[in-house]
Amino acid sequence: MFNTGELWTKMLFWRSKNYLMGAGSPAGSDTDVSPMGIVQGHAYSILDVTTIDSHNLVQLRNPWGDDTEWKGAWGDKSDMWNERRKKSAYERTKQHTGRVEEIGKADGIFWMSFNDFYRNFD
């Protein structure tokens, strides 16, 4: 389903219909955090899916709402973000949800590539 693009297409459709989406990290104790910042055995909310500059991205929220966040590409501290991309993500979030969030804030909300999402969540 991943290789065909079917999952990405479904997630875009579900987002367009405002469905609630979530994802679970691999089994483990919720005191275990991967080196990349994913809490094991934990449920995450999927807040958004979008494409920015031909990169398919997923926005997630750690329910703890703390600074335990994805540390890889597209994470809050990633050099993938430039000012134009940050503004695009900010405007999209504000338009679709009314939330005002800034990339880099230790709030448990982060972006990651769809490929990384697929590798890190069940």
Side-chain angles (χ1 to χ4, degrees):
M1 188 187 283
F2 174 77
N3 292 336
T4 65
E6 183 180 352
L7 179 58
W8 178 251
T9 301
K10 285 183 176 187
M11 288 178 74
L12 287 172
F13 173 77
W14 295 329
R15 175 66 186 100
S16 74
K17 301 296 184 190
N18 293 318
Y19 286 17
L20 296 175
M21 293 186 281
S25 58
S29 167
D30 64 4
T31 59
D32 296 332
V33 179
S34 78
M36 296 305 289
I38 302 299
V39 180
Q40 302 302 288
H42 205 60
Y44 284 74
S45 303
I46 298 173
L47 302 178
D48 201 0
V49 293
T50 193
T51 301
I52 297 178
D53 291 346
S54 73
H55 297 275
N56 294 339
L57 304 176
V58 180
Q59 186 185 45
L60 296 113
R61 181 180 184 277
N62 171 353
W64 289 347
D66 62 11
D67 61 350
T68 307
E69 298 180 2
W70 174 247
K71 297 175 184 171
W74 296 102
D76 282 0
K77 295 182 170 92
S78 171
D79 61 3
M80 297 297 291
W81 291 110
N82 57 34
E83 287 308 311
R84 185 180 51 75
R85 288 175 173 171
K86 283 182 182 180
K87 183 177 179 183
S88 177
Y90 173 86
E91 291 297 326
R92 175 177 171 76
T93 301
K94 186 176 176 185
Q95 175 186 9
H96 289 279
T97 67
R99 291 187 325 265
V100 177
E101 297 162 2
E102 61 183 79
I103 294 168
K105 188 175 176 185
D107 56 3
I109 297 172
F110 58 90
W111 292 90
M112 68 190 323
S113 74
F114 179 65
N115 290 344
D116 286 332
F117 169 76
Y118 191 80
R119 283 192 289 272
N120 284 275
F121 290 89
D122 296 335

